[in-house]
Amino acid sequence: MAELEEGDFVLCTVDKIIGTTVFVKIEGNGEGSIVTSEIAPGRIRNLRDYVVPNKKIVCKILRKDPNGNFQLSLRRVIQKEKKEVMEEYSKEKKCISVLKSILGDNSEDIINKISKGNRIFACLQEARENPKELENLVGKENAEKIIKIISLEKKKKSIIKKEILLKTTNPAGLRLIKELLTSKDKDIKIKYISAGRYSIEIESTELKKADQKISEFIKSVEDKSRKLGMEFSLKGK
C-alpha cells in the first residue's frame, strides 16, 4: 500500500479506548491514536458518545510518531471528506470482489502484490489506459475481463470547498484581491460570498490531489496578501 502522509484521510476501525485516548486500526496501514481534543470540538463528557469499539470512522492524519504510529483527528474531517473516503473504501471492496471472482484461488497473491504499491481501485483504473502491467500479473485474457467489468463503474466527482476571508483598506483593494484570486488552474473556482468572504472549490474524482491543489493555492494567496498588508483568515483552519 502507498505510504500515508500528513493530511491524508483514512478509514479506521476503533480498536479500544484507554483513558482519554482512542486507539484505532487504519485500513491496510497499521495503527493510530486520537486524543480527546481531536475527537470533537468543545467539551466532551463521554468519548463513547462519539466512538465505540469496532465502529468505522474517517480520520485525518496529523503526524507520524517515532514508533511508526499515526496521530489522527476525527473532528477535522468534514462530511464531504468522510463521504469520499467511504466511497473509495466501497470501490476498493468491489474491485477486490471482481479480482476474486475472476482469479479464484490466485486472487489473494495478486491482491497482495498490487496492494504493496497502490490501491486496488487506482491500479485497475490505470489499467484501463495501460493494461500491460495488469496483463503481466494476471494474463491478457483475465486482464480484459477485469477491465471490462471495471469500465462499467462510473467515477463520481466530489466538490472540495474552502472559505477564506480577505480584506484590505487599500484604495486599490478590489483590484488587488481580484489579482490574488486569479488562478491559472481552470479546476479552481472562486466565488464571492459577502463582505470579504470567498469560497474556493474544486470538483474532482481524486480527493487527495484536489485537496493538495486547493491548499497550495490558498497558501499562495495567504503569503501574497500578508505582504500587501491585507487581513487574511481561513475558515475552519
Side-chain angles (χ1 to χ4, degrees):
M1 186 67 70
E3 187 74 19
L4 292 176
E5 300 175 356
E6 180 181 325
D8 283 352
F9 296 94
V10 291
L11 181 65
C12 308
T13 302
V14 178
D15 183 31
K16 55 192 174 185
I17 302 171
I18 300 178
T20 58
T21 303
V22 178
F23 295 90
V24 302
K25 302 285 187 182
I26 300 173
E27 190 71 26
N29 281 284
E31 302 177 341
S33 60
I34 317 168
V35 297
T36 305
S37 61
E38 291 297 337
I39 295 293
R43 186 178 178 184
I44 297 176
R45 295 183 181 277
N46 186 357
L47 278 176
R48 291 177 183 271
D49 289 339
Y50 301 89
V51 289
V52 291
N54 298 318
K55 180 179 180 179
K56 289 194 178 298
I57 56 176
V58 175
C59 297
K60 183 176 184 177
I61 295 177
L62 301 180
R63 64 192 66 87
K64 188 176 184 179
D65 65 30
N67 296 321
N69 291 322
F70 292 96
Q71 295 178 32
L72 309 168
S73 174
L74 177 60
R75 73 177 179 86
R76 302 191 196 200
V77 181
I78 63 175
Q79 187 60 34
K80 286 181 181 178
E81 293 161 346
K82 178 181 177 181
K83 182 180 178 182
E84 183 72 19
V85 172
M86 294 304 294
E87 286 179 351
E88 286 183 5
Y89 174 73
S90 177
K91 290 173 183 175
E92 195 79 355
K93 290 298 180 185
K94 286 179 181 177
C95 288
I96 289 174
S97 178
V98 170
L99 291 176
K100 286 183 176 180
S101 68
I102 292 175
L103 304 177
D105 294 338
N106 296 324
S107 62
E108 289 300 328
D109 182 48
I110 298 299
I111 289 168
N112 288 335
K113 285 181 180 178
I114 294 174
S115 297
K116 286 179 181 178
N118 207 344
R119 291 187 179 276
I120 306 295
F121 176 73
C123 177
L124 298 189
Q125 287 297 322
E126 289 172 10
R128 294 172 61 183
E129 302 297 327
N130 183 14
K132 203 67 184 174
E133 190 172 338
L134 184 61
E135 289 175 1
N136 291 337
L137 282 172
V138 303
K140 187 172 182 179
E141 185 178 344
N142 284 332
E144 289 175 350
K145 291 179 182 177
I146 292 167
I147 292 170
K148 184 177 180 180
I149 295 174
I150 296 302
S151 296
L152 298 176
E153 290 286 334
K154 227 177 178 182
K155 244 185 167 183
K156 189 176 179 182
K157 286 188 175 183
S158 294
I159 296 176
I160 295 178
K161 182 188 292 184
K162 296 192 178 183
E163 184 181 318
I164 65 170
L165 177 71
L166 198 57
K167 291 184 177 181
T168 180
T169 56
N170 190 311
L174 288 176
R175 176 179 61 80
L176 293 172
I177 288 175
K178 185 177 180 180
E179 290 175 357
L180 281 177
L181 297 180
T182 299
S183 173
K184 293 179 181 179
D185 191 326
K186 294 181 180 179
D187 291 336
I188 297 177
K189 308 297 181 185
I190 315 293
K191 293 182 181 178
Y192 172 78
I193 301 174
S194 65
R197 292 171 57 218
Y198 301 87
S199 71
I200 302 171
E201 60 183 61
I202 295 180
E203 186 177 18
S204 175
T205 58
E206 302 293 338
L207 177 64
K208 181 181 174 182
K209 289 181 181 179
D211 186 68
Q212 182 178 355
K213 186 184 289 188
I214 206 170
S215 294
E216 288 174 353
F217 176 73
I218 290 174
K219 183 64 169 62
S220 174
V221 171
E222 179 181 7
D223 291 344
K224 291 176 182 177
S225 65
R226 295 200 187 282
K227 287 180 181 178
L228 292 169
M230 294 183 179
E231 178 186 350
F232 174 93
S233 63
L234 173 62
K235 186 177 179 181
K237 188 175 181 179

